[in-house]
């Protein structure tokens, strides 16, 4: 699990650096090229960030389902000598039957995390303007954090049930 997350994290950082250093050239009034950020690149950053959140949650959910599948195959096997390779069997069942469920569960968690990130960004921008807005945003971030924890708990139990 952690190897997949590290590999994906390195890939994400490389793509992020590419996006951060990509700018469009414009000619200024004295004839020199000036590099400015485009709106499309800013949108790509948010899209890329959502991809990070979703893929990370997907990898973690797959590992939870594989672990749950291993334990259920051990628990429901009467003769423990017939178990064989529970990890491979659980991975096969994950890929064959449960990949959509894992993708949906991880999508829901990623959307909630993305909303939290957006609220944190808005809080950072509104920090200098209004204390009331900052307080309301802190409350919303806290509510979204609690909601995320509840959804993660429900997802984990759902993965155990479908394993």
């Amino acid at each position: 699990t952690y190897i997949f997350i590290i590999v994906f994290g390195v890939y994400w950082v490389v793509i992020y650096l590419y996006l951060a250093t990509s700018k469009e050239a414009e000619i200024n009034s004295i004839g020199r090229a000036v590099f400015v950020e485009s709106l499309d690149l800013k949108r790509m950053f948010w899209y890329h960030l959502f991809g990070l959140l979703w893929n990370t949650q997907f990898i973690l959910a797959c590992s939870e389902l594989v672990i749950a599948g291993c334990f259920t195959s051990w628990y429901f096997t009467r003769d423990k000598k017939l178990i064989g390779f529970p990890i491979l069997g659980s991975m096969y069942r994950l890929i064959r039957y449960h990949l959509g469920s894992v993708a949906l569960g991880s999508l829901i968690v990623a959307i909630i995390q993305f909303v939290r990130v957006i609220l944190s960004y808005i809080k950072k921008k509104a920090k200098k303007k209004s204390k009331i807005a900052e307080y309301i945003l802190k409350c919303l971030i806290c509510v979204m954090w609690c909601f995320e924890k509840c959804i993660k708990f429900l997802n984990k139990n759902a993965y155990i049930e479908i394993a």
Side-chain angles (χ1 to χ4, degrees), residues 27-97:
I27 305 297
N28 64 3
S29 60
I30 59 173
R32 293 188 183 204
V34 177
F35 294 97
V36 295
E37 288 186 29
S38 70
L39 185 61
D40 292 336
L41 285 174
K42 288 181 182 178
R43 290 179 183 155
M44 278 301 282
F45 166 73
W46 290 104
Y47 175 76
H48 190 59
L49 179 64
F50 181 73
L52 169 74
L53 297 172
W54 191 5
N55 283 312
T56 304
Q57 290 303 315
F58 183 77
I59 293 168
L60 291 173
C62 285
S63 70
E64 285 178 2
L65 191 71
V66 167
I67 291 169
C70 290
F71 280 107
T72 55
S73 64
W74 174 83
Y75 184 78
F76 289 111
T77 303
R78 290 182 190 264
D79 188 10
K80 303 298 184 205
K81 295 176 185 175
L82 299 175
I83 290 178
F85 299 102
I87 295 175
L88 293 177
S90 183
M91 288 173 68
Y92 171 76
R93 286 188 302 276
L94 164 71
I95 293 169
R96 170 98 183 188
Y97 301 112

Side-chain angles (χ1 to χ4, degrees), residues 5 8 20 34 41 50 68 71-73 87 93 106 108 114 126 129-130 132 139 150-151 156 163:
I5 290 177
F8 182 73
V34 177
L41 285 174
F50 181 73
F71 280 107
T72 55
S73 64
I87 295 175
R93 286 188 302 276
S106 61
I108 293 168
F114 191 65
K129 296 184 180 172
S130 171
I132 296 171
C139 290
C150 291
I151 294 297
K156 188 172 186 177

Side-chain angles (χ1 to χ4, degrees), residues 5-34:
I5 290 177
I6 289 170
V7 168
F8 182 73
V10 168
Y11 166 76
W12 190 86
V13 167
V14 168
I15 300 300
Y16 172 74
L17 290 175
Y18 174 75
L19 285 174
T21 58
S22 298
K23 298 187 180 196
E24 293 182 4
E26 290 182 1
I27 305 297
N28 64 3
S29 60
I30 59 173
R32 293 188 183 204
V34 177

